[in-house]
Amino acid sequence: MLKFSTLALVSVLALTACQRAPQQQLGPDGQPLPVAYKITPREEAQIPARLVGQMNALRANSGAGGLVQNPMLDAAAKVHARDMAAQNRAWHFGSDGSSPLDRVRRQGYSGHLVGENISETYENEITTLNAWMQNRDTRDVVMDPKASEFGIGWYQEPSGKIWWVLITGGAAGVPGMALAGGYGVAPVGVSGL
């Protein structure tokens, strides 16, 4: 009996070793298809710290001061991320016609709005930040030396698509915010899929 169970165990181990690891799916160009990033409750708690760490490292390299998280800017960003998902388009106007400035004021933010970056993607916040850093307008929202605060918001659909919103602002009384686009925000950036 002992020989039979040993033989059975060895057979199972041998069959297990023969199984192939699941292969990553390839797209038509032969490159691996991206895997959707899933935001878990644990990830939700870590996203702001990872993001501010990366942004502050980038800002320090250019001599700009660090950003601190602001709960009012977070709230405005979260509301807009969910609203973009409901509208199924990444853009800076709310379904009620609100601008980024309108949304931060609704949350009680009394500082100066520096800018808003938005994105519709399946990727995490660091990959999204990297995409924003590749475009001058969205990079300026992150790197503007007048910015001292930020808010981050996201909404992940069941499909895995994530709607990201980053808002930067400056403390009340900080001069120099430009008004552009007819609604008091400069610069405003967009990053797509």
Side-chain angles (χ1 to χ4, degrees), residues 90-114:
W91 75 324
H92 294 284
F93 292 97
S95 56
D96 62 355
S98 62
S99 71
L101 185 59
D102 295 331
R103 292 189 295 275
V104 299
R105 294 290 181 248
R106 284 181 192 160
Q107 297 301 324
Y109 185 69
S110 61
H112 294 285
L113 179 63
V114 173

Side-chain angles (χ1 to χ4, degrees), residues 37 47-59 67 117-121 123-144 150-152 164-168 190-192:
Y37 171 66
I47 288 171
R50 284 194 304 250
L51 188 62
V52 75
Q54 289 293 313
M55 289 189 301
N56 284 344
L58 292 166
R59 290 171 61 84
L67 298 174
N117 284 347
I118 60 177
S119 182
E120 171 188 3
T121 186
E123 298 171 327
N124 69 25
E125 73 285 354
I126 300 303
T127 305
T128 302
L129 174 62
N130 288 335
W132 286 333
M133 294 304 290
Q134 301 305 310
N135 176 288
R136 181 184 168 117
D137 290 338
T138 53
R139 181 177 53 249
D140 287 350
V141 171
V142 175
M143 302 299 290
D144 192 312
F150 81 100
I152 184 68
W164 293 102
V165 178
L166 172 74
I167 301 173
T168 57
V190 173
S191 174

Side-chain angles (χ1 to χ4, degrees), residues 68-78 107 109 149-152:
V68 295
Q69 192 170 6
N70 181 292
M72 290 174 272
L73 295 178
D74 281 345
K78 288 174 185 173
Q107 297 301 324
Y109 185 69
E149 301 173 308
F150 81 100
I152 184 68

Side-chain angles (χ1 to χ4, degrees), residues 3-101:
K3 288 181 181 182
F4 178 73
S5 56
T6 303
L7 180 62
L9 179 60
V10 168
S11 297
V12 168
L13 290 174
L15 287 174
T16 303
C18 291
Q19 288 181 342
R20 289 187 172 173
Q23 297 213 349
Q24 190 172 23
Q25 292 183 329
L26 300 178
D29 60 356
Q31 297 297 315
L33 291 174
V35 177
Y37 171 66
K38 178 66 178 154
I39 301 175
T40 65
R42 181 175 176 216
E43 288 290 311
E44 285 184 15
Q46 296 173 353
I47 288 171
R50 284 194 304 250
L51 188 62
V52 75
Q54 289 293 313
M55 289 189 301
N56 284 344
L58 292 166
R59 290 171 61 84
N61 287 336
S62 71
L67 298 174
V68 295
Q69 192 170 6
N70 181 292
M72 290 174 272
L73 295 178
D74 281 345
K78 288 174 185 173
V79 166
H80 191 53
R82 185 173 281 280
D83 189 45
M84 286 191 309
Q87 296 180 69
N88 197 32
R89 64 178 167 184
W91 75 324
H92 294 284
F93 292 97
S95 56
D96 62 355
S98 62
S99 71
L101 185 59

